[in-house]
């Protein structure tokens, strides 16, 4: 009797799908119930989503501790209730003229260890329900500040009220909240208009398989591209 499949599948999630949608797709394809992911990607986001299959789910919590790298675009001038472009605008402000030097100064001020309060629309649970559930009921709950670390934050270009940057951060960091902090320090408000996760620990976008391939692949082909969890089931320092 063949052993049930086990390992890590590196998926390139597309915008518009939830992380749970991707898990459900793989469950249907493999006929395996024990499948999870190691860190939610917002519906607006694309990029690296790690799925753990079978026995690899035992390492799910530890794998969530790896640092992440993101490519994000921040749109200044409006703030939304979700922190991204899917939400309702709750605040507007003028966007002051800024120089590349000012942008670099603000980004540098965000580096290092700090605390961050998860946004209202997040998967962090309060009283057994995710914060987004409470927010959708009209009963927003305050999230608890948590320690985070921004290891690197680099401007990739600023034009017409939008800043694109590359973020290397600890697990548990919300780029949406970071974007609001950057906007505030530049004298305005803002939200994330685009987000792509480039890497989770040692796993990169270059290793990821596309969802269209997963949808057409056979169970045997999917099992062939699973990565072993041994040697990687430890959080990055």
């Amino acid at each position: 009797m063949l052993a049930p499949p086990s390992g890590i599948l590196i998926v390139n999630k597309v915008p518009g799908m939830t992380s749970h949608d991707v898990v459900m797709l793989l469950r249907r394809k493999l006929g395996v119930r024990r499948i999870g992911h190691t860190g939610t990607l917002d519906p607006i986001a694309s990029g690296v989503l790690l799925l753990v299959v079978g026995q690899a789910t035992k390492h799910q919590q530890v794998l969530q501790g790896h640092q992440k790298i993101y490519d994000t675009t921040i749109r200044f001038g409006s703030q939304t209730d979700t922190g991204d472009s899917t939400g309702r605008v709750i605040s507007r402000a003028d966007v002051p003229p800024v120089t590349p030097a000012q942008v670099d100064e603000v980004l540098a001020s965000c580096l290092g260890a700090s605390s961050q309060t998860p946004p209202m629309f997040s998967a962090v649970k309060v009283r057994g329900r995710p914060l987004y559930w409470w927010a959708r009921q009209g009963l927003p709950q305050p999230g608890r500040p948590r320690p985070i670390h921004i290891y690197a934050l680099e401007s990739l270009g600023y034009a017409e009220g939008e800043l694109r940057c590359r973020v290397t951060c600890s697990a548990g960091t919300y780029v949406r909240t970071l974007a609001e902090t950057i906007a505030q320090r530049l004298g305005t408000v803002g939200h994330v208009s685009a987000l792509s996760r480039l890497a989770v620990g040692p796993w990169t976008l270059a290793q990821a398989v596309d969802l269209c391939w997963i949808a057409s692949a056979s169970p045997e082909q999917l099992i062939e591209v699973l990565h072993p969890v041994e040697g990687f089931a430890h959080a990055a320092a």
Side-chain angles (χ1 to χ4, degrees), residues 12 55 62 67 69 87 106 112 116 121 130 154 161 167 171 192 223 227:
N12 181 8
Q55 291 294 315
V62 174
Q67 71 178 30
I69 302 176
V106 165
Q116 187 185 74
F121 286 84
E154 174 191 5
V167 185
V192 167
I223 292 170
H227 294 252

Side-chain angles (χ1 to χ4, degrees), residues 34-223:
R34 291 185 64 189
I35 298 177
H37 62 76
T38 66
T40 302
L41 269 180
D42 296 331
I44 190 179
S46 64
V48 176
L49 180 67
L50 294 188
L51 300 188
V52 282
V53 179
Q55 291 294 315
T57 56
K58 295 189 299 183
H59 305 287
Q60 184 173 358
Q61 186 172 0
V62 174
L63 291 170
Q64 288 176 344
H66 284 283
Q67 71 178 30
K68 317 292 195 299
I69 302 176
Y70 295 93
D71 183 324
T72 188
T73 300
I74 306 167
R75 182 173 297 153
F76 298 118
S78 59
Q79 181 180 6
T80 69
D81 56 358
T82 61
D84 60 31
S85 58
T86 67
R88 175 177 58 89
V89 174
I90 57 174
S91 177
R92 295 187 186 275
D94 292 335
V95 181
V98 296
T99 65
Q102 288 173 312
V103 170
D104 289 342
E105 182 180 357
V106 165
L107 297 185
S109 74
C110 296
L111 295 175
S114 64
S115 64
Q116 187 185 74
T117 301
M120 287 190 302
F121 286 84
S122 65
V124 174
K125 289 189 176 181
V126 173
R127 290 189 283 166
R129 300 278 192 176
L131 285 175
Y132 65 74
W133 184 90
W134 293 103
R136 289 168 182 166
Q137 307 308 308
L139 300 168
Q141 303 292 310
R144 292 184 177 180
R146 56 169 68 183
I148 65 163
H149 198 111
I150 307 298
Y151 297 100
L153 186 52
E154 174 191 5
S155 171
L156 300 178
Y158 176 80
E160 299 180 355
E162 285 196 334
L163 171 65
R164 183 181 169 202
C165 52
R166 182 183 175 102
V167 185
T168 303
C169 57
S170 63
T173 302
Y174 282 90
V175 176
R176 288 176 287 152
T177 302
L178 176 63
E180 292 177 341
T181 299
I182 292 169
Q184 181 184 37
R185 293 181 183 181
L186 284 171
T188 184
V189 295
H191 65 271
V192 167
S193 60
L195 181 66
S196 178
R197 186 189 281 164
L198 305 179
V200 176
W203 299 281
T204 68
L205 195 55
Q207 299 168 286
V209 295
D210 292 332
L211 282 168
C212 58
W213 181 84
I214 293 174
S216 62
S218 67
E220 292 76 18
Q221 289 174 314
L222 288 168
I223 292 170

Side-chain angles (χ1 to χ4, degrees), residues 18-52:
T18 68
S19 300
H20 183 66
D21 290 337
V22 182
V23 169
M24 293 303 294
L25 172 62
L26 192 61
R27 283 176 178 171
R28 290 194 299 269
K29 294 292 294 187
L30 288 178
V32 174
R33 178 68 185 171
R34 291 185 64 189
I35 298 177
H37 62 76
T38 66
T40 302
L41 269 180
D42 296 331
I44 190 179
S46 64
V48 176
L49 180 67
L50 294 188
L51 300 188
V52 282

Side-chain angles (χ1 to χ4, degrees), residues 1-6 223:
M1 182 176 180
L2 294 176
S6 177
I223 292 170

